[in-house]
Amino acid sequence: MGAKRDFNVKVIKTEVVAASLPMQEHWLPQSNLDLLLPPMDVGVFFCYQNPIISGMPQYSSGSMVKVLKVSLAETLVSYYAFAGELVQNLAGEPEILCNNAGVNFTEAWADIELKEINLYNPDESIEGKLVPKKKHGVLAIQATQLKCGGIVVACTFDHRVADAYSTNMFLVSWAEIAQSKPLSQLPSFRRSFLSPRRPSHYDPLVIDSMYIPISSLKQETRAVTNIDDDEQVISRIYYVKAEEISRLQSLANNCNNDMISTKFHRFTKLETFSAFLWKTIANGMGGNSTPNYENFRFGIVVNGRSRLSDGVEEQAKVLKGYFGNVLSIPFGEKKVEKLKEKPLSWVANAVHEFLEPAKTKEHFLGLINWVEDHRPEPALARIYATNEDAVAVVVSSGQQFPVGKIEFGWGEPVFGSYHFPWEGKAGYVMPMPSPKGNGDWVVYMHMLKWQLELVEASASNVFKPLTADYLNLN
């Protein structure tokens, strides 16, 4: 494995890349589901080896950057929301001004080889170096040339405008245009599918348990962002072997089949993974070096596109290409001691139970109505607001992350990952497919330091630090 070392990044230049065709300035309203997102930026990056290794010697560092810029300008014609600005309307709510203000594109140079970058510790190697800070607009991009002739392409986008699904569509389209291919999926900005029903209808027992207006937060309840300052939040990237994922799934399902008192479900890999992580952290809590929380909240982000289409072909077609946020965050809260004493199958069943109500068309239609009834008051997912007796972790499945499709003409990326070191103290975890395409997972974790220390101490057989050796970069 190549020796890891620190490095500096030198900015060569930053310019604005706008859509290659003129567009009429117009306003694009946020959907009710967009309005559930607070201001936050999300990063994503891809690492490419020297094109010579991929059999593409015609590409130099300069020509790669040129391809990225030209194809980006063409891509922004279809994804015009990314070339706009987010501003407040008269009601104080955000709207997208589609004015083709463009995207900040930074060209940079790093005196390091790809195999030397410490991808396991993105706080050291990625944050503030390879993923750009978005200073204005909706999207920022950075292309960093490496000493070895490789390149890192990274984006930062405003989560209020797009979820990961939408950004994945954009990235695939950008790569297709770079290779002069037709777009496999056109984006849709049709908001009518997310319009509130008249009369308004939703189940308050479900929605009120998941979301809360900011003004309704009780004085003694604090957002997770405000817990003790000395509890440091850090990011790490691991890989999990396919056989370990299958082993855990088999363990949870076999035990569940033997539990007469529990209704049998065939737990998915994501349910099993989430249950294992929930239980692993809980098992180590209350020790000499960890806080002693009484309760533990665990949530999973649900993509509502397939739920809203509900098998209707025309709606499914539009929603497949829908650009925006179509998310909900159901969660469960359990006593830490209960999570410790119960088997993995019981915890997996708890995950399954809190997920099920949010996996329906009615849930998302109800959530849209709930937001409408509370506008313009901003709201917050309840898992991000807790008291001193609870801690929280959210898993966002990145299994649709199209890492192998982000190919601009000089070979597939040898690695790609989302990067979300947000300011909150609630843990954020995203499992993604390995670029090897062998069933392994790459897992980005942004959690309290003591939580990650527990994971590494008690589950090192499952979560292995990402290395150059694993990615075959030597």
Side-chain angles (χ1 to χ4, degrees):
M1 181 176 68
K4 305 304 177 191
R5 65 178 179 85
D6 195 13
F7 63 97
N8 294 315
V9 174
K10 178 183 178 182
V11 173
I12 299 173
K13 63 178 177 178
T14 298
E15 60 186 282
V16 175
V17 176
S20 58
L21 295 177
M23 67 177 67
Q24 184 176 359
E25 182 173 301
H26 65 282
W27 294 86
L28 180 64
Q30 296 287 81
S31 77
N32 282 14
L33 298 182
D34 289 323
L35 295 175
L36 287 171
L37 276 294
M40 63 175 78
D41 292 336
V42 181
V44 58
F45 67 97
F46 301 90
C47 303
Y48 300 86
Q49 289 184 302
N50 189 318
I52 293 177
I53 299 176
S54 303
M56 302 289 179
Q58 68 271 30
Y59 284 101
S60 64
S61 295
S63 63
M64 287 191 288
V65 171
K66 183 178 179 179
V67 166
L68 290 170
K69 290 179 183 178
V70 171
S71 56
L72 173 63
E74 293 184 41
T75 310
L76 291 175
V77 174
S78 297
Y79 290 85
Y80 51 84
F82 266 156
E85 300 176 276
L86 205 60
V87 297
Q88 282 192 340
N89 60 22
L90 295 178
E93 295 176 335
E95 284 193 30
I96 306 173
L97 174 59
C98 300
N99 59 359
N100 200 19
V103 171
N104 266 12
F105 188 105
T106 298
E107 184 179 348
W109 162 263
D111 185 22
I112 192 171
E113 296 188 16
L114 181 56
K115 66 182 180 181
E116 298 174 315
I117 298 175
N118 188 356
L119 294 172
Y120 159 67
N121 183 356
D123 292 336
E124 172 189 291
S125 59
I126 305 300
E127 177 65 14
K129 292 184 176 181
L130 300 178
V131 172
K133 294 292 184 183
K134 183 177 66 63
K135 297 179 180 179
H136 61 79
V138 176
L139 174 70
I141 293 173
Q142 179 174 317
T144 306
Q145 303 166 43
L146 305 177
K147 183 179 178 181
C148 59
I151 191 170
V152 177
V153 180
C155 307
T156 299
F157 63 94
D158 194 318
H159 202 340
R160 294 173 295 175
V161 172
D163 55 15
Y165 181 97
S166 303
T167 304
N168 289 344
M169 281 198 307
F170 162 77
L171 292 166
V172 171
S173 295
W174 185 13
E176 289 171 340
I177 288 176
Q179 296 189 73
S180 300
K181 294 180 178 180
L183 295 187
S184 56
Q185 178 66 60
L186 287 171
S188 169
F189 298 92
R190 185 176 170 186
R191 305 301 204 216
S192 59
F193 281 97
L194 303 182
S195 296
R197 295 176 292 187
R198 305 292 185 189
S200 177
H201 174 69
Y202 59 87
D203 185 348
L205 291 178
V206 175
I207 307 299
D208 286 344
S209 67
M210 292 173 53
Y211 289 89
I212 185 171
I214 297 294
S215 61
S216 298
L217 287 172
K218 295 180 180 178
Q219 186 173 0
E220 68 270 17
T221 301
R222 349 181 253 181
V224 181
T225 55
N226 294 328
I227 62 180
D228 297 341
D229 292 336
D230 59 353
E231 294 191 291
Q232 183 183 1
V233 183
I234 61 175
S235 297
R236 295 291 184 268
I237 301 179
Y238 306 92
Y239 71 91
V240 180
K241 300 293 289 183
E243 52 264 34
E244 283 298 323
I245 300 167
S246 297
R247 180 183 67 82
L248 292 173
Q249 186 182 25
S250 177
L251 176 64
N253 282 310
N254 288 340
C255 291
N256 188 40
N257 200 23
D258 295 334
M259 293 175 63
I260 300 175
S261 60
T262 303
K263 183 178 179 181
F264 177 73
H265 304 289
R266 179 69 184 174
F267 300 126
T268 65
K269 290 180 179 179
L270 184 64
E271 287 174 333
T272 305
F273 169 86
S274 299
F276 177 74
L277 184 60
W278 198 2
K279 182 172 175 60
T280 296
I281 297 174
N283 282 345
M285 290 170 63
N288 294 332
S289 60
T290 63
N292 189 22
Y293 290 98
E294 180 180 355
N295 300 310
F296 192 168
R297 288 182 173 182
F298 201 98
I300 297 179
V301 179
V302 175
N303 181 353
R305 286 170 175 80
S306 62
R307 328 295 177 183
L308 282 165
S309 62
D310 201 23
V312 179
E313 185 176 350
E314 181 61 27
Q315 290 190 10
K317 182 179 179 181
V318 173
L319 285 165
K320 184 180 179 182
Y322 179 78
F323 185 97
N325 287 283
V326 194
L327 306 175
S328 183
I329 313 179
F331 69 92
E333 182 170 353
K334 298 295 181 183
K335 299 288 185 184
V336 171
E337 291 305 315
K338 183 70 72 173
L339 293 167
K340 289 180 179 181
E341 68 184 40
K342 292 294 185 178
L344 179 63
S345 56
W346 184 91
V347 183
N349 194 68
V351 172
H352 182 86
E353 286 183 345
F354 76 66
L355 266 179
E356 282 305 290
K359 294 167 67 176
T360 66
K361 178 179 182 179
E362 179 59 34
H363 170 76
F364 280 90
L365 292 177
L367 183 55
I368 291 167
N369 274 125
W370 184 91
V371 174
E372 185 69 17
D373 288 353
H374 291 83
R375 290 177 65 181
E377 170 71 28
L380 178 73
R382 279 186 180 269
I383 192 169
Y384 296 134
T386 185
N387 56 37
E388 296 181 6
D389 295 327
V391 68
V393 170
V394 174
V395 169
S396 180
S397 174
Q399 289 307 303
Q400 301 304 312
F401 185 48
V403 59
K405 295 182 179 180
I406 315 304
E407 212 273 79
F408 294 100
W410 48 80
E412 295 181 5
V414 292
F415 182 69
S417 174
Y418 270 85
H419 180 65
F420 189 31
W422 75 305
E423 296 179 356
K425 296 297 192 292
Y428 178 82
V429 178
M430 179 177 273
M432 296 161 282
S434 167
K436 290 187 172 185
N438 59 356
D440 292 355
W441 285 5
V442 167
V443 183
Y444 171 81
M445 290 193 183
H446 179 72
M447 295 196 296
L448 294 165
K449 184 179 179 181
W450 62 264
Q451 292 174 334
L452 283 175
E453 289 175 345
L454 286 178
V455 168
E456 293 193 357
S458 58
S460 59
N461 61 316
V462 176
F463 297 99
K464 299 185 180 297
L466 188 73
T467 63
D469 282 342
Y470 173 77
L471 297 174
N472 299 320
L473 295 180
N474 287 338

